[in-house]
Amino acid sequence: MQIASNAVDFSHAAHAVLLVEGERDRQFVTMLRAFRETGGLARGDEVAESLAQRGAGDVSRLARGMVSGEVLGFDWKGEVWVPLFQFDLRSMAIRPEVRQVTGELPSDFDTWAQAMWFAMPNVGLGERTPADALVTDLPSVLDAARADRFAVAG
């Protein structure tokens, strides 16, 4: 009987993991769609190649930027993904505004949560996404990030 009980517990745990993975897949698709208008999402190695082609850095520059918080990247299914709204796509220069905004978000937001925040329509931005509003309305994006930080903090 103990074996059957463990099998049920394992099955329940496996089901819970699949539900979480399914939600991550849905969120990833949401980000793919949301970031399409601002350059899209690219794998880290593709971004590093673009940086190198434009003389703006290489894989070590990208890695340093991600560690320092200058560049937002997240893991999905063993790959690093980078939203391209963070770059001037002509030169691949990193937009410093992103670091300003992520510094205002709740401190417990990991890089996945930060990327999702940039991808979701925000009431404080008139239902625009923060990624869409970043270049044209930085003060409002910063205000929206602060409002969400205070809402999470309570």
Side-chain angles (χ1 to χ4, degrees):
M1 287 305 219
Q2 187 65 21
I3 293 172
S5 175
N6 287 341
V8 169
D9 290 344
F10 176 77
S11 175
H12 180 70
H15 180 64
V17 167
L18 289 175
L19 286 175
V20 169
E21 287 179 7
E23 180 60 24
R24 282 280 174 146
D25 291 347
R26 282 187 290 281
Q27 290 177 348
F28 184 78
V29 170
T30 296
M31 286 190 274
L32 279 174
R33 289 180 181 144
F35 294 140
R36 189 173 293 142
E37 294 296 316
T38 56
L41 274 174
R43 289 181 181 88
D45 58 341
E46 296 168 333
V47 174
E49 185 177 322
S50 291
L51 288 168
Q53 288 173 350
R54 290 170 178 84
D58 57 12
V59 69
S60 63
R61 171 70 178 104
L62 179 61
R64 282 192 313 274
M66 289 174 60
V67 168
S68 72
E70 185 180 16
V71 175
L72 174 60
F74 61 88
D75 180 75
W76 183 67
K77 297 201 178 201
E79 295 271 355
V80 173
W81 289 85
V82 180
L84 295 177
F85 71 86
Q86 306 173 88
F87 300 90
D88 174 319
L89 296 178
R90 288 181 292 271
S91 66
M92 287 303 286
I94 298 168
R95 296 185 188 280
E97 301 91 347
V98 174
R99 186 175 197 170
Q100 289 177 267
V101 175
T102 58
E104 296 293 343
L105 290 172
S107 60
D108 62 343
F109 273 25
D110 62 10
T111 55
W112 184 275
Q114 290 176 357
M116 281 298 298
W117 185 86
F118 276 103
M120 300 303 296
N122 190 294
V123 171
L125 300 171
E127 294 303 322
R128 293 177 295 163
T129 68
D132 289 335
L134 184 69
V135 175
T136 59
D137 196 2
L138 177 61
S140 293
V141 175
L142 288 167
D143 287 344
R146 286 183 199 110
D148 285 347
R149 183 181 73 223
F150 293 132
V152 167

